[in-house]
Amino acid sequence: MKTLKALLIVTLMSASVAAMAEGGGDKVMAQMEAARASAMTTYQKSEHATAVASNQKAASNDVARSN
């Protein structure tokens, strides 16, 4: 009975590991690529907003100096 239990546990554990290993790397890589693309889009938007704000501030300083 103990051997049967041990064999059953080993079989179930190896089956679950085999199921997780199948295509798991591809799924993880796809999630990483999607997260990277999302992060880069957000970063580029924030950089663009910062550059626009900086340009507007510089332009208002130039107008103030010319008066």
Side-chain angles (χ1 to χ4, degrees), residues 5-58:
K5 221 180 215 182
L7 182 61
L8 180 64
I9 290 172
V10 169
T11 304
L12 290 175
M13 290 180 88
S14 62
S16 67
V17 168
M20 282 190 276
E22 183 121 3
D26 296 336
K27 187 189 284 188
V28 170
M29 288 300 289
Q31 288 174 345
M32 285 174 38
E33 286 295 320
R36 186 189 64 78
S38 174
M40 288 304 292
T41 302
T42 304
Y43 174 73
Q44 288 172 347
K45 285 180 183 177
S46 73
E47 285 295 309
H48 178 70
T50 303
V52 168
S54 176
N55 287 342
Q56 287 176 350
K57 184 177 179 183

